[in-house]
Amino acid sequence: MSDWLMSLPLWGVIRVSGIVSYLLLFTGMMLGIIHGMPAFAGKTKAALYKWHTRSTWTGFLIGIAHGMIIYVDQYSPFSWKEIWIPFTTPTHPVAYGVGTLAVYGMFILLLTSDLRNKIKKPLWYAVHLLSYPIFIMALFHGLFTGSDTGTAAAKLMYALTGIGLIGISVYRMTLKGNRAGRVRLSK
């Protein structure tokens, strides 16, 4: 089994799994933001929530695999300490450390989401808002450690996902503000 694993193009698997994880986390965030918009209800809202959850969990698990595969890579191997303890890598310690922190943040975010009915809503909401800095950490990690970051396609991907997330977030805040304004006007 280990011979078969070592025969795989591990560097390519590491790169692709990192990008796929990032894109799934982006998708999960977008679906979560859209899910909270007042325009959606019923089956559509339920479907958005289901795919939001699936995307974030799948992105998280692929992100874990991304980090674990680095251990067996012969080209640029990492020790378990360098994988799991932030800022311990000899090269790019900040960028790799931020990636490790993003994984820990996602774990806390997903755990509290699964326990949502057992914890107080303000605590859940506060933890859930950490998805923004976690996403920024994943973006930072990809920008500064990804071997493909210099390509036009990678730059475009990071730009579009960053701008898209900012845009949809601002739009949702605008909707939330308008709804709060209507409530105040009606009293």
Side-chain angles (χ1 to χ4, degrees), residues 14-80:
I14 292 166
R15 290 168 33 213
V16 168
S17 62
I19 291 168
V20 169
S21 173
Y22 173 80
L23 289 173
L24 283 167
L25 294 174
F26 165 74
T27 301
M29 281 198 67
M30 293 293 280
L31 291 171
I33 293 165
I34 293 167
H35 165 266
M37 291 185 177
F40 299 104
K43 289 182 180 181
T44 302
K45 189 172 185 81
L48 286 167
Y49 180 76
K50 178 174 78 173
W51 287 104
H52 159 67
T53 303
R54 286 180 179 175
S55 298
T56 51
W57 265 108
T58 305
F60 171 72
L61 294 173
I62 291 173
I64 293 286
H66 165 73
M68 302 292 276
I69 296 168
I70 292 173
Y71 180 75
V72 297
D73 180 43
Q74 297 296 308
Y75 179 74
S76 182
F78 282 60
S79 69
W80 287 121

Side-chain angles (χ1 to χ4, degrees), residues 77-153:
F78 282 60
S79 69
W80 287 121
K81 175 187 168 193
E82 292 167 340
I83 292 169
W84 292 109
I85 300 174
F87 313 111
T88 58
T89 60
T91 58
H92 307 295
V94 172
Y96 285 120
V98 165
T100 303
L101 291 177
V103 169
Y104 291 146
M106 276 305 300
F107 177 72
I108 292 167
L109 185 69
L110 291 167
L111 181 65
T112 57
S113 291
D114 286 349
L115 298 173
R116 183 178 182 175
N117 295 331
K118 296 181 183 356
I119 61 177
K120 295 184 181 198
K121 187 173 179 175
L123 174 61
W124 169 83
Y125 185 71
V127 172
H128 218 67
L129 286 177
L130 291 176
S131 60
Y132 287 96
I134 290 167
F135 179 80
I136 291 167
M137 288 190 288
L139 174 63
F140 180 86
H141 170 75
L143 280 172
F144 291 99
T145 63
S147 58
D148 297 323
T149 299
T151 66

